[in-house]
């Protein structure tokens, strides 16, 4: 018999791919059993009651920069993709060109930071001899050659798996597998659509907020309320326009509400830049009014 696949999974498979990014960074830490024993003995505790882990580089800024940039890359992947499983994320095909461009930028920045650190590594270790005091042990530190292998950033791309599931199995097993398979596909589909709407709403709420004003007091002479325009950033408008373009080609369920909102926002921002909003009160007001109208169709959101 033939076990069919849910249509949504086929749609996902033809509309995107799975990606994962691995970023390896030397932790620059090492447990010191000798110091641990000294502490537990001094505290009259069992030797297994605690352990001392040495920070070999004492949070040196060049190593810390690499550690922080690893998180920057992971945060970027999370923003650009949709969760698929614990190891992979789903990337719509329409977003692949932009994703690859930004990936190469992150890869270059990471490798540059690592090369700078390795170049200065010997002098950094020499400096640690003073900062670590009696805890310093040169054997704790790998050679420059070993060090290079402890850093790395790699991108893995694969197709959404589409096995045919043609097997001769009992009907009850086939039904059970089909139900499980369908449920998983529906859950992923639902998550992607919900995430799309959430991201779309968030960027519109950001635009609406930035197009508003803050009250900063009352004019002593006129009694009028003084206001200050909020900052509007180029990146916010660019992000919104990118979403409009992406969702035009990646609306898996052909959700008419999402498409209507996307098309309306695209028209609103088609000839508008962040600079236009900053320079013109009329443009600022018109954009905020249109965006608030779109938000109203997604439910009740407070726009100030």
């Amino acid at each position: 018999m033939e076990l069919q696949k849910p249509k949504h999974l086929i749609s996902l498979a033809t509309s995107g791919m799975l990606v994962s990014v691995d970023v390896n960074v030397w932790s620059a830490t090492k447990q010191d059993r000798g110091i641990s024993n000294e502490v537990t003995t001094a505290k009259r505790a069992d030797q297994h009651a605690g352990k001392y882990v040495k920070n070999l580089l004492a949070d040196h800024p060049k190593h810390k920069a690499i550690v922080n940039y690893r998180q920057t890359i992971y945060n970027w992947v999370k923003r650009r993709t949709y969760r698929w499983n614990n190891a992979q994320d789903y990337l719509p095909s329409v977003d692949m060109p932009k994703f690859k461009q930004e990936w190469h930028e992150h890869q270059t920045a990471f490798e540059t930071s690592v090369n700078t650190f390795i170049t200065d590594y010997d002098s950094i270790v020499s400096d640690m001899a003073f900062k670590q005091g009696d805890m310093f042990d040169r054997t704790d530190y790998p050679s420059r050659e070993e060090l290079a292998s402890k850093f790395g950033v790699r991108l893995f791309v694969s197709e959404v798996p589409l096995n045919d599931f043609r097997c001769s199995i009992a009907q009850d097993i086939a039904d059970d597998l089909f139900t499980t398979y369908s449920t998983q596909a529906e859950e992923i589909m639902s998550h992607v659509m919900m995430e799309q709407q959430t991201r779309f709403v968030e960027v519109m709420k950001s635009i609406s907020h930035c197009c508003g004003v803050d009250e900063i007091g009352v004019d002593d002479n006129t009694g009028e309320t003084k206001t200050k325009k909020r900052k509007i950033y180029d990146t916010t408008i660019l992000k919104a326009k990118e979403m409009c373009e992406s969702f035009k080609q990646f609306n898996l369920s052909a959700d008419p509400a999402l498409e209507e909102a996307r098309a309306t926002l695209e028209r609103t921002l088609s000839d508008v830049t962040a600079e236009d909003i900053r320079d013109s009160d009329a443009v600022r007001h018109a954009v905020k009014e249109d965006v608030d109208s779109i938000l109203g169709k997604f439910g009740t959101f407070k726009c100030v």
Side-chain angles (χ1 to χ4, degrees), residues 37 49 61 121 130 132 138 167 236 299:
N37 290 341
Y121 178 64
F130 296 97
Q132 295 282 347
R138 185 61 182 85
C167 12
T236 302

Side-chain angles (χ1 to χ4, degrees), residues 222-234:
T222 65
E224 295 180 353
T225 300
K226 295 187 291 185
T227 60
K228 179 182 179 182
K229 296 178 183 177
R230 293 171 181 154
K231 292 183 178 179
I232 183 75
Y233 297 97
D234 295 341

Side-chain angles (χ1 to χ4, degrees), residues 87-276:
Q88 296 171 300
D89 297 291
Y90 183 81
L91 176 68
S93 298
V94 65
D95 291 337
M96 177 54 83
K98 183 69 173 177
F99 184 88
K100 288 298 291 294
Q101 175 192 333
E102 293 177 352
W103 157 252
H104 288 306
E105 292 171 358
H106 283 302
Q107 183 182 37
T108 299
F110 179 83
E111 292 175 349
T112 298
S113 185
V114 169
N115 290 336
T116 299
F117 170 69
I118 293 178
T119 298
D120 296 342
Y121 178 64
D122 290 336
S123 63
I124 292 173
V125 173
S126 297
D127 186 43
M128 289 303 112
F130 296 97
K131 291 187 176 181
Q132 295 282 347
D134 292 340
M135 295 193 303
F136 180 77
D137 183 348
R138 185 61 182 85
T139 61
D140 288 339
Y141 298 83
S143 66
R144 285 166 58 96
E145 292 71 22
E146 293 174 309
L147 187 65
S149 66
K150 295 181 180 294
F151 294 93
V153 56
R154 293 185 295 174
L155 170 67
F156 300 91
V157 181
S158 61
E159 296 179 346
V160 177
L162 261 184
N163 301 318
D164 215 16
F165 274 71
R166 298 175 188 273
C167 12
S168 298
I169 53 179
Q171 182 63 45
D172 55 344
I173 297 178
D175 291 341
D176 181 62
L177 284 175
F178 180 78
T179 299
T180 301
Y181 199 63
S182 298
T183 300
Q184 290 175 347
E186 291 293 341
E187 288 175 352
I188 293 171
M189 184 72 175
S190 177
H191 171 75
V192 170
M193 290 188 296
M194 183 62 68
E195 186 68 17
Q196 273 189 303
Q197 180 169 312
T198 298
R199 294 182 186 184
F200 199 48
V201 167
E202 287 302 317
V203 76
M204 287 191 292
K205 289 171 69 176
S206 178
I207 292 174
S208 174
H209 175 80
C210 293
C211 286
V213 296
D214 290 317
E215 295 183 1
I216 58 175
V218 178
D219 191 297
D220 294 333
N221 297 320
T222 65
E224 295 180 353
T225 300
K226 295 187 291 185
T227 60
K228 179 182 179 182
K229 296 178 183 177
R230 293 171 181 154
K231 292 183 178 179
I232 183 75
Y233 297 97
D234 295 341
T235 52
T236 302
I237 301 302
L238 177 61
K239 182 178 181 181
K241 290 182 177 181
E242 286 181 348
M243 281 189 183
C244 287
E245 182 61 29
S246 175
F247 293 173
K248 180 191 298 185
Q249 303 177 58
F250 186 66
N251 187 348
L252 289 174
S253 63
D255 182 356
L258 179 63
E259 172 54 27
E260 180 183 357
R262 183 209 65 77
T264 304
L265 183 63
E266 185 176 52
R267 288 194 297 271
T268 297
L269 301 178
S270 60
D271 297 317
V272 173
T273 66
E275 185 176 2
D276 294 332

